[in-house]
């Protein structure tokens, strides 16, 4: 974590755990969802739950890639 330029979490809980341990990383930690909603874990769900989660993650990743811009 200390060497990462960007740290992306799926939930507010994940983000908080990181910031509790490493408050100095606050500027580098963000949630995957720009609106800061948790990405639900499909564990134990149906195939459709997993497919929906995958699609949601892909949407958020594409948005994040657009925000970050090209890599030098």
């Amino acid at each position: 974590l200390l060497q990462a330029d960007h740290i992306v979490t799926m939930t507010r809980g994940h983000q908080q755990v990181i910031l509790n341990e490493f408050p100095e990383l606050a500027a580098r930690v963000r949630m995957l969802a720009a609106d800061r909603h948790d990405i639900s874990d499909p564990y134990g769900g149906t195939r459709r739950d997993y497919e929906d989660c995958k699609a949601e993650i892909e949407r958020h990743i594409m948005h994040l890639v657009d925000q970050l811009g090209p890599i030098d």
Side-chain angles (χ1 to χ4, degrees):
L1 288 175
L2 297 176
Q3 296 176 4
D5 292 330
H6 302 278
I7 302 162
V8 181
T9 67
M10 300 273 286
T11 68
R12 287 182 299 276
H14 295 155
Q15 184 179 37
Q16 197 55 55
V17 167
I18 292 169
L19 294 176
N20 286 345
E21 187 70 26
F22 304 100
E24 68 276 16
L25 299 180
R28 292 188 261 166
V29 179
R30 71 168 77 194
M31 291 186 59
L32 181 57
D35 66 359
R36 298 186 40 80
H37 80 268
D38 289 351
I39 307 292
S40 61
D41 186 345
Y43 180 76
T46 65
R47 179 180 178 96
R48 180 64 188 194
D49 294 331
Y50 280 86
E51 290 170 352
D52 290 347
C53 184
K54 174 186 175 281
E56 182 179 12
I57 290 169
E58 286 175 340
R59 279 192 310 274
H60 292 300
I61 287 174
M62 295 307 295
H63 184 259
L64 180 61
V65 167
D66 288 342
Q67 283 182 329
L68 295 176
I71 298 174
D72 296 333

